[in-house]
């Protein structure tokens, strides 16, 4: 590879990481923080979406378990969607 191609890929690496991180933060903000229930500026407990937070923590620990470690992430996404539909999250 030429010097310029390597330089472009070197610059794209942190940019793509930042784009993925920004997308992750926006998903967390939209799902776990419910600003419609904002009671007071200092009241963080009032606008946390507890159902989604508990589901996210549960899925995180299930994904780390050695029994489920080799499953494809799409399975966990489908499971989360099914739980959200069944328990009417959102």
């Amino acid at each position: 590879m030429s010097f310029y191609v390597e330089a472009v890929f070197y610059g794209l690496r942190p940019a793509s990481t930042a784009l993925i991180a920004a997308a992750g933060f926006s998903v967390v903000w939209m799902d776990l923080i419910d600003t419609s229930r904002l009671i007071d500026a200092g009241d963080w407990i009032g606008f946390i979406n507890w159902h989604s937070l508990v589901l996210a923590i549960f899925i995180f620990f299930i994904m780390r378990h050695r029994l489920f470690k080799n499953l494809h992430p799409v399975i966990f996404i489908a499971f989360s969607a099914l739980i959200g539909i069944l328990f009417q999250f959102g």
Side-chain angles (χ1 to χ4, degrees):
M1 270 196 229
S2 72
F3 171 75
Y4 296 110
V5 174
E6 288 181 19
V8 166
F9 281 123
Y10 186 77
L12 283 176
R13 196 172 295 144
S16 62
T17 303
L19 286 172
I20 292 170
F25 285 132
S26 67
V27 166
V28 167
W29 182 259
M30 288 185 328
D31 187 47
L32 297 181
I33 307 298
D34 186 9
T35 56
S36 67
R37 292 189 293 173
L38 182 60
I39 298 168
D40 186 17
D43 185 19
W44 283 89
I45 295 178
F47 66 95
I48 293 175
N49 191 347
W50 292 103
H51 295 108
S52 297
L53 182 64
V54 169
L55 181 61
I57 292 170
F58 176 73
I59 294 295
F60 176 77
F61 283 114
I62 289 295
M63 287 178 69
R64 298 291 180 221
H65 193 274
R66 62 183 165 95
L67 185 64
F68 301 108
K69 212 168 193 129
N70 293 329
L71 290 177
H72 199 275
V74 172
I75 293 172
F76 296 107
I77 294 170
F79 175 73
S80 298
L82 181 66
I83 294 296
I85 290 170
L86 288 176
F87 293 106
Q88 298 176 357
F89 287 5

